[in-house]
Every structure is written in C-alpha cells, then in structure tokens.
C-alpha cells in the first residue's frame, strides 16, 4: 500500500505489513479512504469477523493515513493484461443472454484477446449491477445479494470464462476445487494459487500495490480466476459457489 500522509499518532509500519499479508483482497470501499490509526481492526481473510472500520477524528487531527489498494470491486481495473493478439470479430460471441440488460460483449472481447485482468474487473462490476447492489447505492456485493443474481446472467459469464480459458477458469471450476478442499478456505486458496511462499511463511497473494495474481491462462493454476474479495469473510465466495445455477448442467447449454 501507499501511504499518502502520516498523522501525529503514527500507525506502526509492522502493522501495515501484517494487514498486507493477511488480507490480500481489499474492496472498493477502502480505495482512497481516509482512515485514522484508531480505525484499524484486525483483518483476517477467511473470517466473517474481518473488519475495517473508520472512526472519526477531531478536526485538528484531520491529517490521516490513506490506504491505497489496486483491487476494486468496481471502477478501473486493478491491473492490466497484455492482449494475446487480435482475433476475427466473428469469433467473439454476441448472443449473450441477460435478464438485466447487461452488455457482455466487452467481457467476451476481453477474454478472447487475453485481457484477463480487465475481464476479471468487468466480472466483479457486473455482479454489482446484476445483484441489485448498484441500485441500492452500493459499490460492492453482500453475500445476501447473491440470491438476486439471475441464473441466466451468471451462466453467460461462466460460459465466456470457460470458453476462452479452455475450461480452466470460472466459478464452476472453483466450486469443484472448493468441494475437493472440503470447504476449507485455506486449502482452497492453495489449490487455486491464491497463496505463495514468502520465505518460511505461506501467505495470501497481495492485491496491494502491484497485483501478485496471475492473469495468464498458461501460467495460472486451474480455478485461479475470477477473483472474489474475502475482506468481509468467505460468505460471498461461498454463496457464489452454491448459487442455484450450478445445481445442474443447464448453464453449459449455448443459447
């Protein structure tokens, strides 16, 4: 993370590093947010008690620490990918069903040309809209919003990820890994490459500063993408992986 300014009551650098290690997936809510050193609650990825609460400070202490994150649940992509090359326009699917009026052609184009970071961001942005969170004035998805995501739209998103990754990426792939991990979040993260060995310590990949996630079909482990924020705990991920659309294979049928 980038520290814009430091308040008189200085936040220990070691604590900032700890936060970076244990919680690699911050949400849009915390991009460019001014927070005081009293506002840090321990963030534990994989725990529903993860919190990041801002506490107001007197005006005389207005100078604050700004925690910058490149990960967002909406807005500009956290990273960019080098296009793998141009493809004939006819190879980009255009019949992409939606119940919410979403245009998925940009997602299809990003995936078809290897722009996986942008496609990953588009997917999160789409979930905000099709879940109804955007209509409620939120820029992030609660786990309780997942039930509102139409199966039609989630199936369209999944088919595109499957098609252009050769079956390597997608929520259905992650669901398989989740089951193989016996719904153990730590084991699940290892299986899909969301962890790394940092010396003698295994930690989650960082989304602070330069993203450590792999936006490359050939290099990334199976199930590595799309990414889901675990800042508020694993409930959102669990709900996405248990959405009714995955109850059968109807989602695989091309329109």
């Amino acid at each position: 993370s980038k520290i814009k300014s430091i308040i008189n009551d200085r936040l220990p650098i070691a604590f900032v590093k700890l936060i970076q290690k244990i919680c690699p997936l911050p949400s849009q809510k915390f991009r460019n947010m001014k927070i005081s050193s009293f506002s840090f609650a321990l963030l534990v990825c994989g725990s529903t008690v993860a919190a990041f609460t801002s506490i107001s400070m007197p005006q005389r202490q207005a100078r604050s620490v700004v925690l910058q994150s490149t990960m967002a649940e909406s807005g500009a992509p956290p990273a960019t990918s080098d296009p793998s090359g141009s493809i004939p326009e006819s190879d980009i699917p255009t019949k992409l069903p939606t119940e919410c009026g979403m245009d998925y052609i940009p997602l299809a184009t990003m995936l078809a040309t290897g722009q996986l970071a942008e496609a990953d961001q588009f997917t999160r942005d789409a979930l905000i809209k099709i879940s109804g969170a955007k209509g409620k004035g939120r820029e992030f998805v609660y786990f309780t919003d997942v039930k509102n995501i139409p199966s039609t739209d989630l199936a369209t998103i999944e088919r595109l990820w499957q098609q252009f990754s050769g079956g390597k990426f997608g929520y259905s792939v992650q669901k398989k890994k989740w089951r193989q991990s016996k719904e153990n979040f730590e084991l699940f993260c290892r299986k899909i490459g969301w962890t790394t060995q940092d010396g003698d310590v295994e930690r989650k990949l960082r989304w602070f500063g330069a993203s450590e996630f792999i936006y490359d079909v050939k290099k990334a482990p199976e199930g590595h993408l799309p990414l889901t924020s675990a800042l508020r705990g694993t409930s959102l991920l669990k709900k996405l992986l248990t959405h009714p659309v995955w109850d059968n294979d109807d989602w695989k049928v091309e329109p």
Side-chain angles (χ1 to χ4, degrees), residues 131-153:
S131 67
K134 188 80 170 179
K136 297 174 183 177
R138 280 192 276 109
E139 293 296 331
F140 51 89
V141 180
Y142 284 143
F143 72 93
T144 53
D145 296 323
V146 175
K147 64 181 181 295
N148 301 322
I149 298 176
S151 294
T152 299
D153 288 70

Side-chain angles (χ1 to χ4, degrees), residues 205-227:
L205 295 183
R206 294 192 184 110
W207 220 327
F208 289 84
S211 175
E212 294 181 331
F213 291 90
I214 306 169
Y215 301 102
D216 187 311
V217 174
K218 295 180 180 179
K219 297 178 181 179
E222 191 176 68
H224 193 70
L225 297 173
L227 304 178

Side-chain angles (χ1 to χ4, degrees), residues 105-124:
I105 293 179
L107 176 61
T109 304
M110 292 169 188
L111 289 169
T113 56
Q115 295 176 288
L116 299 184
E118 292 82 353
D120 184 47
Q121 184 64 52
F122 183 99
T123 299
R124 280 189 300 279

Side-chain angles (χ1 to χ4, degrees), residues 5 41 61-62 74 91 94 98 110 120 130 137 143 155 173 193 207 210 225:
S5 60
Q61 292 182 312
S74 68
D91 288 351
T94 56
T98 174
M110 292 169 188
D120 184 47
I130 65 180
F143 72 93
V173 180
W207 220 327
L225 297 173

Side-chain angles (χ1 to χ4, degrees), residues 86-106:
S86 60
I87 64 170
E89 190 173 334
S90 59
D91 288 351
I92 298 177
T94 56
K95 193 173 183 181
L96 304 170
T98 174
E99 293 181 26
C100 306
M102 279 292 297
D103 179 7
Y104 291 110
I105 293 179

